[in-house]
Amino acid sequence: NRLIPSSKYISKMAPPTPLRDIKPKYTQLFINNEWVNSVSGKTFNTINPATEETIAAVQEGDKADVDRAVAAAKKAFELNGKWRTTDASERGRVVLKLADKIEENMQLLASLECADMGKPYMQSIGDMQFAVKCLRYYGGWADKITGKTPPVDGDFFTYTRSE
């Protein structure tokens, strides 16, 4: 297991240490697979609650940005949309790649989370581990979910809904 061990094992080894004086690499909104400024151009400062210092000025998303993101997501899922027509195995690979990127950058991401939220570092590490596990779980299912439709008599449309 490449993940940092859970807290019950941390006492037996030196815990990873948070990075200090870090700044986020991106401060824009991520919409339609690209980093963009908000429609309004407004930003807000994100503040470290422990030091009250500004971490960064980030784009302030509002209704217009949400509408833009929703429109992009809807387009991806249209009948011939890019994500909808992507093979299930490729969709799973993309989700697994995101898990790998979070794991590779866990110390940085957890450090940023600490600075932004004032959360204890090891709790942030645990959050990152959980995110990685969830993404790997769902990425692994992307090409394995199948349905069985029992035959019925007559001119009917039938389907099975798994819950």
Side-chain angles (χ1 to χ4, degrees):
N1 187 346
R2 297 181 306 170
L3 294 175
I4 295 170
S6 68
S7 60
K8 70 180 181 178
Y9 300 108
I10 293 295
S11 61
K12 297 178 184 175
M13 56 189 292
T17 57
L19 301 172
R20 304 283 182 211
D21 300 318
I22 54 172
K23 299 289 181 189
K25 186 174 181 179
Y26 300 100
T27 59
Q28 294 174 292
L29 306 173
F30 193 70
I31 299 174
N32 202 24
N33 208 33
E34 61 184 358
W35 294 102
V36 297
N37 290 333
S38 62
V39 171
S40 69
K42 291 192 276 184
T43 62
F44 71 94
N45 290 336
T46 180
I47 308 294
N48 181 327
T51 64
E52 297 184 350
E53 294 175 0
T54 298
I55 299 168
V58 298
Q59 294 295 307
E60 183 175 325
D62 57 22
K63 183 181 182 320
D65 301 298
V66 171
D67 291 345
R68 184 168 51 160
V70 169
K74 283 183 177 179
K75 185 173 182 181
F77 282 95
E78 286 176 351
L79 189 56
N80 292 312
K82 184 171 180 166
W83 186 251
R84 187 171 183 171
T85 58
T86 300
D87 290 338
S89 60
E90 177 63 12
R91 289 194 308 263
R93 191 193 67 73
V94 168
V95 173
L96 293 172
K97 185 176 178 181
L98 176 58
D100 290 343
K101 291 296 182 184
I102 291 172
E103 187 175 54
E104 288 169 19
N105 294 284
M106 192 176 296
Q107 183 182 25
L108 172 65
L109 293 170
S111 298
L112 282 168
E113 184 73 358
C114 280
D116 188 46
M117 299 296 294
K119 180 182 265 192
Y121 180 70
M122 290 309 296
Q123 191 175 23
S124 293
I125 288 287
D127 290 349
M128 297 301 133
Q129 291 174 326
F130 183 69
V132 167
K133 286 181 180 184
C134 285
L135 289 167
R136 288 207 172 116
Y137 176 83
Y138 290 111
W141 274 104
D143 59 355
K144 294 167 188 69
I145 297 176
T146 60
K148 293 181 182 178
T149 304
V152 295
D153 293 339
D155 188 20
F156 296 100
F157 172 75
T158 183
Y159 65 95
T160 302
R161 181 173 143 179
S162 300
E163 294 186 9

